[in-house]
Amino acid sequence: MENKVNFITSEKGKPLVLLNLHKYRFIRERKDGIKKWLCTKKSCYASILTNGEYVHETINEHHHPENSQQSIERQVLREACKRKSNNTICVRPIKIIRNELMGSNGNHSEIEHRDVRSIRKAMYDKRRKNYPAFPKSNLKFKFY
């Protein structure tokens, strides 16, 4: 039975696979091109093998509840907004979030106000990494 997987991005920018509300992180690629993905829960040893966008084989079973649809929607929205806010630094974060929500065709129906605040904070944090560092002392400046 071949299932199609969805590719999403983790909070650190790494690729993740989403299958049946379970997230998998990339482990390695074999010589024959099949990729191995392990469950993102550290204590779970469930894994899948994918060939392109389709599941080739599943190994072991999950012994934890699956992720909620709301948390997955929130992660997808957060990563899309962070990527766009990093590219367009002059646009306000709330405008980027609003455009993402309007352009998603209702896919983010379970997003709450606290999620929007969390996404906006993540966008500001991502932008802050691009700012130059503050000087450590006054010796770098010439005063006349």
Side-chain angles (χ1 to χ4, degrees), residues 32-52:
D32 58 356
I34 293 179
K35 295 181 180 181
K36 183 173 183 174
W37 304 82
L38 189 64
C39 182
T40 56
K41 303 284 185 193
K42 297 289 184 183
S43 62
C44 181
Y45 295 106
S47 64
I48 60 172
L49 301 175
T50 61
N51 190 1

Side-chain angles (χ1 to χ4, degrees), residues 8 12 15 18 36 40 59 63 66 76 79 86 98 101-104 108 112 115 118 123 127 133 144:
I8 59 174
K12 294 185 177 183
L18 182 63
K36 183 173 183 174
T40 56
I59 304 166
H63 57 275
E66 57 190 20
V76 169
E79 295 309 313
N86 205 19
R98 201 176 310 126
L101 286 172
M102 297 298 283
S104 65
H108 304 293
E112 297 176 359
D115 298 332
S118 157
M123 291 169 69
R127 283 183 175 177
Y144 296 102

Side-chain angles (χ1 to χ4, degrees), residues 77 81 92-104 116:
L77 180 64
C81 290
R92 290 181 308 176
I94 194 66
K95 187 172 183 181
I96 294 172
I97 294 170
R98 201 176 310 126
N99 287 340
E100 275 296 311
L101 286 172
M102 297 298 283
S104 65
V116 173

Side-chain angles (χ1 to χ4, degrees), residues 20-72:
N20 300 332
L21 296 179
H22 289 287
K23 296 186 284 190
Y24 298 88
R25 56 189 160 92
F26 179 73
I27 298 299
R28 68 182 184 98
E29 184 173 0
R30 298 188 333 195
K31 288 183 180 179
D32 58 356
I34 293 179
K35 295 181 180 181
K36 183 173 183 174
W37 304 82
L38 189 64
C39 182
T40 56
K41 303 284 185 193
K42 297 289 184 183
S43 62
C44 181
Y45 295 106
S47 64
I48 60 172
L49 301 175
T50 61
N51 190 1
E53 295 182 351
Y54 295 98
V55 175
H56 181 69
E57 182 181 356
T58 59
I59 304 166
N60 294 333
E61 293 293 322
H62 295 278
H63 57 275
H64 58 87
E66 57 190 20
N67 298 308
S68 68
Q69 184 67 31
Q70 181 183 11
S71 69
I72 292 172

